[in-house]
Amino acid sequence: MPRWSRDGTAWLDELPELIRSSCERWRLTVSGTAVHGSNALVVPVTRADGDFVLRLTPPGPDAVAQVAALRFWNGRGTVHLVDTHRDAMLLERLTPGTSLHTVPTDEAMHILGSTMRRLAIPAPPGVITDVPSTAAAVARRMATMEQEWRHLGRPFPESRLREALEIGARLSQGARPELAVNGDLHSAQVLRATREDWLVVDPVLMRGEIDYDLARTLWTRLDEMPSPARIVRHFDIVVTAAETDRDRSRDWVVFRTADFWLWGLTAGLTDDPQRCARLLATF
């Protein structure tokens, strides 16, 4: 997406040279076809000590934050960061095209919940203090949600907005012990690996409550959950695997779903707001 580059397509135009210089720096040979999402180009590479991938992202705070996240978890449930230089990362090779979207939803929900719990480690003093907190993220969104709701033509009943804001007031207190949190966890972000069965890519390091992003694990697979009973069943699978409080996790699902519904409409999304409507109606 060129929107990630202030210079339009300048970064895209520089990619061939960035790949060449990165391969020269780390003595790499391109060994496969490049793949990409919306934020990065990933090139399979090899060298004398094994197979890796070269990940190139537009420069900016997001790239810096991702390096910090990978260094923090240091391969614990996440892809291992081998080295980095400017906008390039050398990562361990996972298996492209084999995300959790390739396994049944029940299994995926269990793996996602277990991953949430595994990543939820306390940080050494001073390491995570500058990382955004889940409580602060809720407070920040609460300040604009009602205005967005009105501007968007009141897309869902006011009673649901009020419930989300009441829940947000509780979640923003931040009274619970703060742990490391992955703020962007869903099936597409977990790939099959060799070192372990499954590893997270593109983690977003936050601190706070680990069920902050639980709603996303559901709405990204909601098309495979045809009824409210199936949605609740998959919610229970995640909660059990993550060892979180069911009522508190339900609160996170309600708030984050209302939040994402408004954000999605503002961003011009069409399918995701419909999924959010189903999820909110269930909970």
Side-chain angles (χ1 to χ4, degrees):
M1 291 185 180
R3 66 186 175 89
W4 291 109
S5 174
R6 293 181 180 179
D7 299 324
T9 62
W11 180 78
L12 298 175
D13 295 337
E14 294 170 1
L15 274 175
E17 174 57 25
L18 290 172
I19 294 170
R20 187 203 63 76
S21 61
S22 296
C23 286
E24 182 178 285
R25 177 182 307 108
W26 287 313
R27 301 175 185 175
L28 307 171
T29 300
V30 174
S31 58
T33 303
V35 296
H36 68 87
S38 60
N39 303 328
L41 183 76
V42 177
V43 183
V45 293
T46 188
R47 68 181 183 187
D49 57 340
D51 297 328
F52 306 92
V53 296
L54 176 64
R55 188 178 193 275
L56 297 135
T57 57
D62 288 345
V64 173
Q66 185 176 85
V67 168
L70 291 174
R71 282 177 172 162
F72 173 79
W73 276 299
N74 194 29
R76 179 190 174 96
T78 65
V79 65
H80 179 61
L81 176 66
V82 179
D83 205 350
T84 182
H85 180 78
R86 295 184 179 176
D87 311 323
M89 285 182 273
L90 186 63
L91 305 170
E92 73 173 295
R93 175 90 63 93
L94 305 186
T95 308
T98 57
S99 74
L100 280 180
H101 272 295
T102 63
V103 305
T105 315
D106 282 16
E107 182 182 353
M109 294 301 115
H110 177 77
I111 293 170
L112 287 166
S114 300
T115 300
M116 289 166 59
R117 172 51 59 185
R118 187 171 182 209
L119 296 181
I121 56 176
V127 171
I128 202 171
T129 53
D130 294 330
V131 172
S133 75
T134 59
V138 171
R140 185 168 56 251
R141 283 299 290 140
M142 285 180 63
T144 60
M145 284 177 68
E146 183 167 358
Q147 181 180 356
E148 288 180 14
W149 177 78
R150 295 183 186 280
H151 178 73
L152 292 166
R154 304 172 185 239
F156 47 81
E158 185 173 3
S159 60
R160 291 187 179 172
L161 174 69
R162 296 300 166 204
E163 181 184 13
L165 292 175
E166 289 173 8
I167 288 172
R170 296 197 296 271
L171 298 177
S172 63
Q173 294 305 307
R176 296 193 165 206
E178 291 190 334
L179 298 169
V181 179
N182 182 3
D184 185 13
L185 181 63
H186 54 89
S187 290
Q189 299 282 57
V190 183
L191 300 185
R192 192 173 289 281
T194 301
R195 177 167 55 87
E196 298 185 21
D197 289 339
W198 300 97
L199 292 172
V200 175
V201 297
D202 301 348
V204 173
L205 180 60
M206 300 181 70
R207 55 189 170 88
E209 298 184 45
I210 69 172
D211 32 8
Y212 168 80
D213 215 33
L214 196 156
R216 197 193 309 258
T217 69
L218 297 173
W219 75 55
T220 50
R221 300 292 294 266
L222 206 68
D223 294 347
E224 302 165 63
M225 306 175 195
S227 67
R230 288 286 293 276
I231 295 173
V232 173
R233 171 184 163 185
H234 287 103
F235 166 80
D236 284 335
I237 292 173
V238 179
V239 166
T240 300
E243 303 175 17
T244 59
D245 178 83
R246 193 176 190 276
D247 291 337
R248 188 78 169 183
S249 290
R250 182 262 178 192
D251 281 353
W252 276 113
V253 169
V254 171
F255 180 83
R256 292 277 286 143
T257 301
D259 171 12
F260 188 72
W261 191 342
L262 295 174
W263 179 89
L265 290 174
T266 302
L269 303 183
T270 55
D271 292 337
D272 283 307
Q274 295 180 41
R275 296 183 182 106
C276 289
R278 286 189 59 212
L279 202 53
L280 267 190
T282 298
F283 288 96

